[in-house]
Amino acid sequence: MIRVVVVDDEALIRSGLALILRAAGDIDVVAAVSGADAVREIGLTRPDVVLLDIRMPDVDGLTVLAQLRAMADPPIIAMLTTFDSDEYVGTALRSGAAGFLLKDTDPEQLAHSVRALAAGAVVLSAKAARPILSSHAGRAGRASAANELNVLTDRERDVLLLVAQGLSNADIGGRLFLSASTVKDHVSAILSKLGMESRVQAALLAQRAGLVTGQLSGQRGEP
């Protein structure tokens, strides 16, 4: 079972998301709480995945994210937002969130996204990703991002391309005829060379550099 905590300031949203996820069968929502209770409850329940509202009146979602990321063994965290152009999303991704989802995500897709997160995945709502990628668009931005990728070997660029397309380490290994552990080593090297902390940051950089056309597929990834 995948252990999940849902954090949202609205009780109706919390209960609705919990109901949808529990219906999946392989997901156990161990707590559904407001921002004020989030850090304490997550410390007690030790979930695999946290779905965290990015805008809450009692405690800001970015503050909770920072507190969770400071834990010795932090859970995987995806931000929840109502807006497809939330300016806080970019900050959350730079701060270590594994992705973000719109609250009106299709129920089946929501469960799929939680499974992907539990596997160490990057999950980006394609609809919400568009404004973030557009905000970094432009020839100067693309040239700068492409220049940053010059530190990577050809094999690392191959791996990054598949990371940005949403594949897991196992799937990347299957495509490139590598073991998952070797792919993980490549991803670690990519993050180190690019000076990044998370896979989602590298994926967004690949998008800005024009390494991948279109939007992120919205699914997979692992550190």
Side-chain angles (χ1 to χ4, degrees):
M1 296 289 286
I2 301 169
R3 295 168 57 81
V4 176
V5 168
V6 176
V7 182
D8 196 285
D9 65 304
E10 296 186 36
L12 185 61
I13 295 293
R14 293 197 303 267
S15 60
L17 292 174
L19 183 65
I20 290 169
L21 292 173
R22 285 174 177 143
D26 59 340
I27 298 172
D28 181 17
V29 179
V30 295
V33 297
S34 66
D37 299 323
V39 175
R40 178 184 60 83
E41 195 66 35
I42 290 165
L44 291 172
T45 57
R46 308 302 298 177
D48 303 303
V49 174
V50 173
L51 301 182
L52 174 61
D53 187 4
I54 203 167
R55 292 174 178 262
M56 296 181 289
D58 50 359
V59 179
D60 180 72
L62 295 178
T63 299
V64 176
L65 172 63
Q67 293 172 335
L68 295 179
R69 291 289 297 166
M71 288 180 170
D73 184 21
I76 296 163
I77 306 159
M79 309 306 292
L80 293 169
T81 178
T82 306
F83 311 100
D84 61 6
S85 58
D86 196 323
E87 68 269 24
Y88 293 149
V89 166
T91 301
L93 295 178
R94 290 190 294 271
S95 299
F100 58 93
L101 295 166
L102 294 178
K103 292 183 183 181
D104 62 357
T105 297
D106 178 83
E108 184 176 344
Q109 182 61 41
L110 179 64
H112 176 79
S113 295
V114 166
R115 295 185 189 103
L117 286 162
V122 167
V123 174
L124 300 178
S125 164
K127 182 180 178 182
R130 191 171 297 112
I132 291 178
L133 296 175
S134 296
S135 71
H136 294 285
R139 295 181 62 182
R142 172 169 290 196
S144 176
N147 187 59
E148 290 186 58
L149 298 184
N150 287 337
V151 298
L152 304 181
T153 66
D154 289 343
R155 176 58 81 188
E156 288 166 350
R157 289 174 69 91
D158 291 341
V159 170
L160 179 58
L161 171 62
L162 296 177
V163 166
Q165 289 179 346
L167 275 67
S168 68
N169 285 349
D171 290 337
I172 292 172
R175 294 279 189 92
L176 300 179
F177 303 101
L178 301 171
S179 68
S181 62
T182 297
V183 173
K184 184 175 182 179
D185 289 341
H186 281 308
V187 173
S188 295
I190 290 167
L191 296 182
S192 177
K193 287 183 177 182
L194 296 178
M196 294 180 169
E197 296 183 0
S198 74
R199 187 172 181 132
V200 67
Q201 294 171 356
L204 289 172
L205 177 64
Q207 289 282 336
R208 294 203 307 273
L211 191 63
V212 184
T213 57
Q215 302 300 321
L216 291 177
S217 62
Q219 308 325 314
R220 310 233 179 141
E222 291 140 44

